[in-house]
Amino acid sequence: MTRETILLVDDEKEIAELIEIYLKNEGYQLLKASNGLVALELLQNHSVDLIILDVMMPHMDGIQACMKIREQNTIPIIMLSAKSQDIDKIAGLSIGADDYVAKPFNPLVLMARVKSQLRRYKQFNTRRLPNENEIQIDDLVINIATHSVTVDDIPVKLTPREFSILRLLAMNRGIVLSMEKIYQEVWNEPFMESKNTVMVHIRKIREKIEKDNQSPKYIKTVWGIGYKMDS
């Protein structure tokens, strides 16, 4: 069974190692970053279910990182801080954090908070939202509001870029999109002969949503041009 992935963002080595021990003992998969900039880069390339985010860090602190994450992502964020005043907690929660834990803390309490946030987030994502938030193609359902994907009602974990590519193709059903078009729309930068980048991401998406990669049901290749999803 695939367990949830936690992104731990903290530059204090001793605290990060302590939290890592408890997370792994609970069976969670773990990604680690020492500042907000590294965390944002990891989020672009990995599917994450929850973030534990320290406030005081170099290069980009937790407040800045939280605000940046919330521009595109709704996953739970638990903030850690040596500041325990109510005003500090209010500041953290007001910029998008879901929970706030003051240092020093009991690791068992933190694990309980992690489980609680994951449970709430899972329940939120499994609710049926209005149809305008969803794109359904046969058994594939793409929820634009929650950035979630299911196939045969089974959740599929996509990275943010993989989701953006799938959403782009689904919103242009019946239209062939060139690799150049896909790259420019998703990466928001000039194409610069990045064919392999798009191809690799399409392959990874197919591995997650298709039953037969040799005969894909959802994402079709139009040789010499690009990709499309049938209407």
Side-chain angles (χ1 to χ4, degrees):
M1 177 180 175
T2 302
R3 291 304 305 271
E4 293 92 344
T5 298
I6 311 295
L7 173 57
L8 172 60
V9 191
D10 199 317
D11 66 321
E12 294 187 57
K13 184 178 179 181
E14 294 80 7
I15 291 179
E17 289 177 347
L18 175 64
I19 297 174
E20 178 178 2
I21 291 171
Y22 278 84
L23 287 172
K24 288 188 174 180
N25 283 343
E26 292 291 339
Y28 296 115
Q29 299 181 50
L30 183 65
L31 296 171
K32 294 192 294 183
S34 58
N35 61 67
L37 291 175
V38 177
L40 292 175
E41 184 176 345
L42 286 171
L43 281 173
Q44 288 296 320
N45 297 291
H46 298 273
S47 179
V48 173
D49 298 288
L50 180 142
I51 301 171
I52 299 174
L53 182 63
D54 187 35
V55 172
M56 302 299 292
M57 294 181 294
H59 306 302
M60 177 183 282
D61 64 27
I63 297 295
Q64 293 172 311
C66 184
M67 293 172 66
K68 198 70 177 175
I69 292 167
R70 279 292 176 255
E71 290 178 5
Q72 296 184 334
N73 215 311
T74 61
I75 59 178
I77 297 176
I78 300 176
M79 299 201 77
L80 301 178
S81 177
K83 299 180 179 181
S84 59
Q85 298 297 319
D86 287 343
I87 188 66
D88 300 312
K89 296 179 182 180
I90 292 170
L93 296 171
S94 66
I95 53 93
D98 297 280
D99 204 348
Y100 188 104
V101 177
K103 297 179 180 179
F105 55 85
N106 184 329
L108 293 176
V109 172
L110 178 60
M111 292 304 104
R113 300 280 185 90
V114 167
K115 293 175 183 177
S116 175
Q117 290 298 329
L118 286 171
R119 183 168 58 250
R120 291 178 185 176
Y121 185 65
K122 184 176 180 180
Q123 290 172 349
F124 171 78
N125 275 343
T126 54
R127 294 173 188 163
R128 298 298 293 178
L129 296 178
N131 289 336
E132 61 264 23
N133 291 318
E134 293 182 346
I135 302 174
Q136 182 164 358
I137 303 173
D138 292 330
D139 297 319
L140 171 67
V141 179
I142 304 164
N143 193 304
I144 304 300
T146 61
H147 280 224
S148 60
V149 176
T150 60
V151 177
D152 289 333
D153 293 323
I154 300 173
V156 176
K157 294 177 68 174
L158 298 180
T159 68
R161 284 227 167 95
E162 290 169 355
F163 181 86
S164 294
I165 292 171
L166 185 62
R167 177 179 60 185
L168 178 66
L169 290 169
M171 293 180 71
N172 291 275
R173 280 173 289 175
I175 300 173
V176 181
L177 299 181
S178 67
M179 284 185 280
E180 178 179 1
K181 175 68 173 177
I182 294 172
Y183 188 88
Q184 290 175 343
E185 290 289 334
V186 173
W187 275 262
N188 196 30
E189 59 184 49
F191 184 51
M192 299 296 289
E193 297 298 325
S194 300
K195 292 183 179 180
N196 287 339
T197 301
V198 175
M199 291 173 63
V200 167
H201 280 75
I202 292 290
R203 176 174 56 79
K204 289 181 178 179
I205 296 169
R206 280 175 168 165
E207 289 173 353
K208 296 176 180 181
I209 69 171
E210 301 282 4
K211 293 182 180 179
D212 183 1
N213 287 342
Q214 301 302 316
S215 181
K217 176 181 179 181
Y218 303 111
I219 301 178
K220 305 294 181 65
T221 299
V222 181
W223 295 107
I225 304 177
Y227 301 95
K228 74 168 183 174
M229 298 185 79
D230 289 334
S231 55

